[in-house]
Amino acid sequence: MASNHLGRAIAALNVQVSVPPTLQRRLWQMVPSPPDPGKLADWLAVLAVAPPPEIAVPPLVETDMVCTLAHEIKTPLATIQTLTRSLLQRSDLPPVVQQRLAWIEAECREQMERFSLVFAAACPVSRAPTLTPLDLGELLQSIWPAWVERGERRAIALALDVPKNLPPCLSHSEQLPSLLGGLLDRLIRSLAPGSTVVVQGREAGAYLKLEFRVQRAVGTPEPVQSIGQWLVWQPETGTVALSLVAANTLLQALGARLSVRLAATPKDDEVLAVFLPCFGPAAV
């Protein structure tokens, strides 16, 4: 009788999320036999270790065109960046010129990072990336000054809320910062000046949940349009970025998942969450 109850529970859970065999075996050990549908604690034991729901990811197409586009855009940007860095080494430039050159260099660098993500999504390597334990708090602290500078250039405030005692996550030390930076950049460029993005890290069962909570300021946000499945762009600025579907494809290669919650009312926050698998005994 107990096995029938738990079997039906796992089958019902599979309707909402994908439950791997290893997680199913853990559920057999954690959930009371039989689980009482009237007791919330019994079902919280299941949900605490269940992976977050996946967003639908249709097959990506047009890979050849996207790879070519990414390469053709990155090449001239790299040339501009090299020339700009060369000019910045001169000591006879007025401060206003140095400031504008630094701005140009930063814009080139960020645009190249965006198209590196596009290229990675369109032209994936056959070998799976090697995942290692990462301290999420230390990683965020190391890249936070660059993120704050990026927000300041567009009058967007950033706040970091990550506790120090988070367990390590399992990811890629180079690809994860690039992906997180791409998601943040996409948010910043779609917000009206005066908005705020709060970055929060929390434990979520067998995952670490990194949330980007968007508090929109009063004003007209930059309109964003889709270009197929891969890209989005802002007609006002000409900025091109990776779509959330393509970004989720890259995250899944790292064992992570993306979740998006839109604001129900103007007073609510919009939340973009990345679920990263924990490293160690708690990991599935």
Side-chain angles (χ1 to χ4, degrees):
M1 177 65 71
S3 62
N4 290 337
H5 279 282
L6 185 54
R8 288 197 296 269
I10 293 176
L13 190 60
N14 258 315
V15 174
Q16 302 297 327
V17 296
S18 176
V19 183
T22 54
L23 179 56
Q24 294 186 27
R25 288 193 292 270
R26 290 183 60 193
L27 293 178
W28 285 95
Q29 300 172 355
M30 296 184 62
V31 180
S33 300
D36 185 351
K39 293 183 178 180
L40 180 61
D42 286 8
W43 296 110
L44 289 179
V46 178
L47 297 176
V49 295
E54 298 182 50
I55 63 174
V57 182
L60 296 173
V61 295
E62 304 165 339
T63 56
D64 292 339
M65 182 192 70
V66 174
C67 284
T68 302
L69 177 65
H71 176 76
E72 290 300 319
I73 291 177
K74 285 177 59 181
T75 300
L77 285 174
T79 302
I80 297 172
Q81 184 186 48
T82 300
L83 295 174
T84 303
R85 287 178 174 177
S86 177
L87 288 173
L88 283 171
Q89 295 178 358
R90 294 178 53 174
S91 59
D92 59 340
L93 298 177
V96 65
V97 175
Q98 292 181 342
Q99 181 182 17
R100 291 176 180 176
L101 286 173
W103 197 316
I104 292 172
E105 193 279 332
E107 289 288 340
C108 287
R109 183 179 67 251
E110 292 173 10
Q111 189 69 272
M112 290 171 65
E113 290 175 356
R114 283 192 291 273
F115 275 92
S116 293
L117 292 175
V118 173
F119 190 87
C123 309
V125 296
S126 57
R127 182 170 55 88
T130 301
L131 306 183
T132 58
L134 294 178
D135 186 315
L136 183 61
E138 289 184 1
L139 185 149
L140 290 173
Q141 290 291 346
S142 66
I143 59 181
W144 190 249
W147 282 15
V148 171
E149 178 186 352
R150 187 176 298 188
E152 288 177 345
R153 291 206 305 272
R154 290 169 176 79
I156 305 297
L158 270 69
L160 182 62
D161 178 17
V162 177
K164 296 181 178 180
N165 58 346
L166 286 179
C169 64
L170 192 63
S171 193
H172 194 280
S173 59
E174 295 181 0
Q175 295 183 23
L176 180 61
S178 180
L179 275 168
L180 295 180
L183 292 173
L184 177 71
D185 186 73
R186 187 183 188 280
L187 286 175
I188 287 176
R189 291 176 177 271
S190 66
L191 296 175
S195 300
T196 300
V197 178
V198 180
V199 181
Q200 295 180 328
R202 296 290 185 270
E203 290 187 65
Y207 288 79
L208 294 185
K209 180 172 67 172
L210 185 65
E211 289 187 341
F212 297 82
R213 305 186 70 90
V214 177
Q215 301 169 0
R216 291 187 176 271
V218 178
T220 303
E222 295 285 348
V224 178
Q225 297 181 5
S226 297
I227 307 177
Q229 295 174 286
W230 292 88
L231 306 174
V232 294
W233 79 300
Q234 295 166 293
E236 297 294 329
T237 62
T239 300
V240 178
L242 200 64
S243 71
L244 291 180
V245 170
N248 189 55
T249 300
L250 291 176
L251 285 169
Q252 287 181 330
L254 305 182
R257 292 176 183 172
L258 180 65
S259 172
V260 180
R261 188 181 73 202
L262 300 179
T265 70
K267 295 183 179 180
D268 295 333
D269 294 345
E270 295 179 5
V271 180
L272 189 153
V274 177
F275 291 84
L276 302 163
C278 291
F279 173 78
V284 175

PDB file of all heavy atoms in Angstrom, residues 10-11 16 24 31 33-34 41 84 113 117-118 130 147 153 183 192 194 224 233-234 245 278:
ATOM      1  N   ILE A  10       4.985  10.275  -6.979  1.00  0.00           N
ATOM      2  CA  ILE A  10       6.068  10.561  -7.921  1.00  0.00           C
ATOM      3  C   ILE A  10       5.513  10.758  -9.322  1.00  0.00           C
ATOM      4  O   ILE A  10       5.961  11.639 -10.072  1.00  0.00           O
ATOM      5  CB  ILE A  10       7.117   9.434  -7.894  1.00  0.00           C
ATOM      6  CG1 ILE A  10       7.833   9.422  -6.531  1.00  0.00           C
ATOM      7  CG2 ILE A  10       8.133   9.598  -9.017  1.00  0.00           C
ATOM      8  CD1 ILE A  10       8.816   8.297  -6.365  1.00  0.00           C
ATOM      9  N   ALA A  11       4.525   9.947  -9.695  1.00  0.00           N
ATOM     10  CA  ALA A  11       3.921  10.105 -11.023  1.00  0.00           C
ATOM     11  C   ALA A  11       3.260  11.472 -11.160  1.00  0.00           C
ATOM     12  O   ALA A  11       3.363  12.130 -12.194  1.00  0.00           O
ATOM     13  CB  ALA A  11       2.897   8.987 -11.266  1.00  0.00           C
ATOM     14  N   GLN A  16       4.673  17.820 -13.415  1.00  0.00           N
ATOM     15  CA  GLN A  16       5.127  19.199 -13.302  1.00  0.00           C
ATOM     16  C   GLN A  16       6.626  19.345 -13.536  1.00  0.00           C
ATOM     17  O   GLN A  16       7.077  20.334 -14.088  1.00  0.00           O
ATOM     18  CB  GLN A  16       4.775  19.754 -11.898  1.00  0.00           C
ATOM     19  CG  GLN A  16       3.300  19.697 -11.573  1.00  0.00           C
ATOM     20  CD  GLN A  16       2.478  20.553 -12.515  1.00  0.00           C
ATOM     21  OE1 GLN A  16       2.943  21.587 -12.974  1.00  0.00           O
ATOM     22  NE2 GLN A  16       1.262  20.126 -12.805  1.00  0.00           N
ATOM     23  N   GLN A  24      14.273   9.902  -7.451  1.00  0.00           N
ATOM     24  CA  GLN A  24      13.155   9.052  -7.045  1.00  0.00           C
ATOM     25  C   GLN A  24      13.567   8.125  -5.898  1.00  0.00           C
ATOM     26  O   GLN A  24      12.808   7.899  -4.957  1.00  0.00           O
ATOM     27  CB  GLN A  24      12.646   8.234  -8.230  1.00  0.00           C
ATOM     28  CG  GLN A  24      12.009   9.077  -9.327  1.00  0.00           C
ATOM     29  CD  GLN A  24      11.398   8.221 -10.422  1.00  0.00           C
ATOM     30  OE1 GLN A  24      10.998   7.089 -10.168  1.00  0.00           O
ATOM     31  NE2 GLN A  24      11.324   8.763 -11.627  1.00  0.00           N
ATOM     32  N   VAL A  31      10.197  10.422   2.166  1.00  0.00           N
ATOM     33  CA  VAL A  31       8.762  10.664   2.335  1.00  0.00           C
ATOM     34  C   VAL A  31       8.162   9.597   3.253  1.00  0.00           C
ATOM     35  O   VAL A  31       8.482   8.421   3.128  1.00  0.00           O
ATOM     36  CB  VAL A  31       8.056  10.641   0.966  1.00  0.00           C
ATOM     37  CG1 VAL A  31       6.572  10.896   1.125  1.00  0.00           C
ATOM     38  CG2 VAL A  31       8.684  11.704   0.069  1.00  0.00           C
ATOM     39  N   SER A  33       5.765   6.801   4.843  1.00  0.00           N
ATOM     40  CA  SER A  33       5.065   5.691   4.165  1.00  0.00           C
ATOM     41  C   SER A  33       3.797   5.348   4.931  1.00  0.00           C
ATOM     42  O   SER A  33       3.864   4.812   6.049  1.00  0.00           O
ATOM     43  CB  SER A  33       5.973   4.472   4.083  1.00  0.00           C
ATOM     44  OG  SER A  33       7.146   4.771   3.362  1.00  0.00           O
ATOM     45  N   PRO A  34       2.618   5.548   4.345  1.00  0.00           N
ATOM     46  CA  PRO A  34       2.405   6.296   3.100  1.00  0.00           C
ATOM     47  C   PRO A  34       2.332   7.795   3.398  1.00  0.00           C
ATOM     48  O   PRO A  34       2.033   8.179   4.521  1.00  0.00           O
ATOM     49  CB  PRO A  34       1.054   5.786   2.604  1.00  0.00           C
ATOM     50  CG  PRO A  34       0.315   5.480   3.877  1.00  0.00           C
ATOM     51  CD  PRO A  34       1.356   4.981   4.858  1.00  0.00           C
ATOM     52  N   ALA A  41       3.518  18.879   5.522  1.00  0.00           N
ATOM     53  CA  ALA A  41       4.926  18.558   5.754  1.00  0.00           C
ATOM     54  C   ALA A  41       5.375  17.367   4.906  1.00  0.00           C
ATOM     55  O   ALA A  41       6.525  17.303   4.466  1.00  0.00           O
ATOM     56  CB  ALA A  41       5.166  18.266   7.236  1.00  0.00           C
ATOM     57  N   THR A  84      41.286  51.329 -29.266  1.00  0.00           N
ATOM     58  CA  THR A  84      40.885  52.167 -28.138  1.00  0.00           C
ATOM     59  C   THR A  84      41.815  51.959 -26.948  1.00  0.00           C
ATOM     60  O   THR A  84      42.234  52.920 -26.291  1.00  0.00           O
ATOM     61  CB  THR A  84      39.432  51.857 -27.738  1.00  0.00           C
ATOM     62  OG1 THR A  84      38.583  52.048 -28.860  1.00  0.00           O
ATOM     63  CG2 THR A  84      38.975  52.771 -26.617  1.00  0.00           C
ATOM     64  N   GLU A 113      31.189  40.150 -25.438  1.00  0.00           N
ATOM     65  CA  GLU A 113      30.746  39.116 -24.505  1.00  0.00           C
ATOM     66  C   GLU A 113      29.374  38.585 -24.894  1.00  0.00           C
ATOM     67  O   GLU A 113      29.113  37.376 -24.822  1.00  0.00           O
ATOM     68  CB  GLU A 113      30.716  39.676 -23.083  1.00  0.00           C
ATOM     69  CG  GLU A 113      32.088  39.940 -22.495  1.00  0.00           C
ATOM     70  CD  GLU A 113      32.002  40.608 -21.133  1.00  0.00           C
ATOM     71  OE1 GLU A 113      30.870  40.918 -20.696  1.00  0.00           O
ATOM     72  OE2 GLU A 113      33.053  40.826 -20.514  1.00  0.00           O
ATOM     73  N   LEU A 117      28.403  34.629 -26.194  1.00  0.00           N
ATOM     74  CA  LEU A 117      27.325  33.766 -25.734  1.00  0.00           C
ATOM     75  C   LEU A 117      26.485  33.272 -26.906  1.00  0.00           C
ATOM     76  O   LEU A 117      26.075  32.108 -26.951  1.00  0.00           O
ATOM     77  CB  LEU A 117      26.434  34.515 -24.739  1.00  0.00           C
ATOM     78  CG  LEU A 117      27.057  34.871 -23.387  1.00  0.00           C
ATOM     79  CD1 LEU A 117      26.085  35.707 -22.564  1.00  0.00           C
ATOM     80  CD2 LEU A 117      27.428  33.614 -22.630  1.00  0.00           C
ATOM     81  N   VAL A 118      26.203  34.168 -27.858  1.00  0.00           N
ATOM     82  CA  VAL A 118      25.449  33.758 -29.042  1.00  0.00           C
ATOM     83  C   VAL A 118      26.198  32.663 -29.794  1.00  0.00           C
ATOM     84  O   VAL A 118      25.618  31.649 -30.206  1.00  0.00           O
ATOM     85  CB  VAL A 118      25.204  34.977 -29.962  1.00  0.00           C
ATOM     86  CG1 VAL A 118      24.579  34.538 -31.276  1.00  0.00           C
ATOM     87  CG2 VAL A 118      24.307  35.992 -29.270  1.00  0.00           C
ATOM     88  N   THR A 130      33.512  20.725 -18.264  1.00  0.00           N
ATOM     89  CA  THR A 130      33.908  20.147 -16.985  1.00  0.00           C
ATOM     90  C   THR A 130      33.399  21.029 -15.853  1.00  0.00           C
ATOM     91  O   THR A 130      33.742  22.211 -15.780  1.00  0.00           O
ATOM     92  CB  THR A 130      35.441  20.017 -16.889  1.00  0.00           C
ATOM     93  OG1 THR A 130      35.904  19.187 -17.958  1.00  0.00           O
ATOM     94  CG2 THR A 130      35.850  19.390 -15.564  1.00  0.00           C
ATOM     95  N   TRP A 147      29.739  44.723 -12.656  1.00  0.00           N
ATOM     96  CA  TRP A 147      28.288  44.771 -12.809  1.00  0.00           C
ATOM     97  C   TRP A 147      27.740  46.129 -12.375  1.00  0.00           C
ATOM     98  O   TRP A 147      26.865  46.705 -13.038  1.00  0.00           O
ATOM     99  CB  TRP A 147      27.635  43.658 -11.989  1.00  0.00           C
ATOM    100  CG  TRP A 147      27.717  42.305 -12.620  1.00  0.00           C
ATOM    101  CD1 TRP A 147      28.539  41.933 -13.666  1.00  0.00           C
ATOM    102  CD2 TRP A 147      26.975  41.143 -12.262  1.00  0.00           C
ATOM    103  NE1 TRP A 147      28.356  40.610 -13.966  1.00  0.00           N
ATOM    104  CE2 TRP A 147      27.407  40.098 -13.119  1.00  0.00           C
ATOM    105  CE3 TRP A 147      26.018  40.873 -11.300  1.00  0.00           C
ATOM    106  CZ2 TRP A 147      26.883  38.814 -13.045  1.00  0.00           C
ATOM    107  CZ3 TRP A 147      25.491  39.587 -11.212  1.00  0.00           C
ATOM    108  CH2 TRP A 147      25.917  38.581 -12.077  1.00  0.00           C
ATOM    109  N   ARG A 153      26.228  53.150 -15.834  1.00  0.00           N
ATOM    110  CA  ARG A 153      26.256  53.805 -17.142  1.00  0.00           C
ATOM    111  C   ARG A 153      24.856  53.998 -17.698  1.00  0.00           C
ATOM    112  O   ARG A 153      24.652  54.812 -18.606  1.00  0.00           O
ATOM    113  CB  ARG A 153      27.109  52.988 -18.124  1.00  0.00           C
ATOM    114  CG  ARG A 153      28.582  52.992 -17.804  1.00  0.00           C
ATOM    115  CD  ARG A 153      29.421  52.744 -19.046  1.00  0.00           C
ATOM    116  NE  ARG A 153      29.055  51.524 -19.744  1.00  0.00           N
ATOM    117  CZ  ARG A 153      29.578  50.326 -19.470  1.00  0.00           C
ATOM    118  NH1 ARG A 153      30.475  50.206 -18.514  1.00  0.00           N
ATOM    119  NH2 ARG A 153      29.206  49.270 -20.147  1.00  0.00           N
ATOM    120  N   LEU A 183      22.738  37.657 -18.704  1.00  0.00           N
ATOM    121  CA  LEU A 183      21.370  37.826 -18.215  1.00  0.00           C
ATOM    122  C   LEU A 183      21.178  39.195 -17.564  1.00  0.00           C
ATOM    123  O   LEU A 183      20.161  39.866 -17.789  1.00  0.00           O
ATOM    124  CB  LEU A 183      21.039  36.716 -17.217  1.00  0.00           C
ATOM    125  CG  LEU A 183      20.923  35.297 -17.786  1.00  0.00           C
ATOM    126  CD1 LEU A 183      20.766  34.289 -16.652  1.00  0.00           C
ATOM    127  CD2 LEU A 183      19.765  35.194 -18.760  1.00  0.00           C
ATOM    128  N   ALA A 192      13.956  51.138 -17.616  1.00  0.00           N
ATOM    129  CA  ALA A 192      14.001  52.602 -17.624  1.00  0.00           C
ATOM    130  C   ALA A 192      14.999  53.084 -16.584  1.00  0.00           C
ATOM    131  O   ALA A 192      15.204  52.418 -15.557  1.00  0.00           O
ATOM    132  CB  ALA A 192      12.611  53.171 -17.327  1.00  0.00           C
ATOM    133  N   GLY A 194      16.643  54.672 -13.392  1.00  0.00           N
ATOM    134  CA  GLY A 194      16.088  54.757 -12.049  1.00  0.00           C
ATOM    135  C   GLY A 194      15.575  53.436 -11.514  1.00  0.00           C
ATOM    136  O   GLY A 194      15.192  53.355 -10.341  1.00  0.00           O
ATOM    137  N   VAL A 224      11.738  45.683 -26.514  1.00  0.00           N
ATOM    138  CA  VAL A 224      12.571  44.552 -26.930  1.00  0.00           C
ATOM    139  C   VAL A 224      11.766  43.707 -27.903  1.00  0.00           C
ATOM    140  O   VAL A 224      10.609  43.374 -27.646  1.00  0.00           O
ATOM    141  CB  VAL A 224      13.009  43.701 -25.721  1.00  0.00           C
ATOM    142  CG1 VAL A 224      13.823  42.503 -26.179  1.00  0.00           C
ATOM    143  CG2 VAL A 224      13.816  44.538 -24.740  1.00  0.00           C
ATOM    144  N   TRP A 233      16.379  42.190 -29.802  1.00  0.00           N
ATOM    145  CA  TRP A 233      17.059  43.449 -30.055  1.00  0.00           C
ATOM    146  C   TRP A 233      16.160  44.608 -29.677  1.00  0.00           C
ATOM    147  O   TRP A 233      14.937  44.469 -29.575  1.00  0.00           O
ATOM    148  CB  TRP A 233      17.514  43.545 -31.512  1.00  0.00           C
ATOM    149  CG  TRP A 233      16.418  43.915 -32.489  1.00  0.00           C
ATOM    150  CD1 TRP A 233      15.273  43.225 -32.732  1.00  0.00           C
ATOM    151  CD2 TRP A 233      16.383  45.064 -33.324  1.00  0.00           C
ATOM    152  NE1 TRP A 233      14.527  43.859 -33.683  1.00  0.00           N
ATOM    153  CE2 TRP A 233      15.182  44.999 -34.078  1.00  0.00           C
ATOM    154  CE3 TRP A 233      17.249  46.136 -33.541  1.00  0.00           C
ATOM    155  CZ2 TRP A 233      14.826  45.969 -34.991  1.00  0.00           C
ATOM    156  CZ3 TRP A 233      16.885  47.100 -34.466  1.00  0.00           C
ATOM    157  CH2 TRP A 233      15.685  47.005 -35.183  1.00  0.00           C
ATOM    158  N   GLN A 234      16.811  45.743 -29.420  1.00  0.00           N
ATOM    159  CA  GLN A 234      16.104  46.971 -29.054  1.00  0.00           C
ATOM    160  C   GLN A 234      16.202  47.942 -30.230  1.00  0.00           C
ATOM    161  O   GLN A 234      17.293  48.439 -30.544  1.00  0.00           O
ATOM    162  CB  GLN A 234      16.734  47.581 -27.798  1.00  0.00           C
ATOM    163  CG  GLN A 234      16.567  46.696 -26.574  1.00  0.00           C
ATOM    164  CD  GLN A 234      17.468  47.135 -25.438  1.00  0.00           C
ATOM    165  OE1 GLN A 234      18.674  47.041 -25.516  1.00  0.00           O
ATOM    166  NE2 GLN A 234      16.859  47.618 -24.370  1.00  0.00           N
ATOM    167  N   VAL A 245      15.409  31.766 -24.179  1.00  0.00           N
ATOM    168  CA  VAL A 245      15.386  30.358 -24.583  1.00  0.00           C
ATOM    169  C   VAL A 245      16.797  29.869 -24.877  1.00  0.00           C
ATOM    170  O   VAL A 245      17.220  28.790 -24.433  1.00  0.00           O
ATOM    171  CB  VAL A 245      14.476  30.161 -25.811  1.00  0.00           C
ATOM    172  CG1 VAL A 245      14.644  28.762 -26.392  1.00  0.00           C
ATOM    173  CG2 VAL A 245      13.016  30.389 -25.429  1.00  0.00           C
ATOM    174  N   CYS A 278      23.643  22.056  -6.297  1.00  0.00           N
ATOM    175  CA  CYS A 278      24.582  22.086  -5.185  1.00  0.00           C
ATOM    176  C   CYS A 278      25.649  21.016  -5.381  1.00  0.00           C
ATOM    177  O   CYS A 278      25.426  19.995  -6.043  1.00  0.00           O
ATOM    178  CB  CYS A 278      23.872  21.859  -3.850  1.00  0.00           C
ATOM    179  SG  CYS A 278      22.800  23.216  -3.343  1.00  0.00           S
TER     180      CYS A 278
END
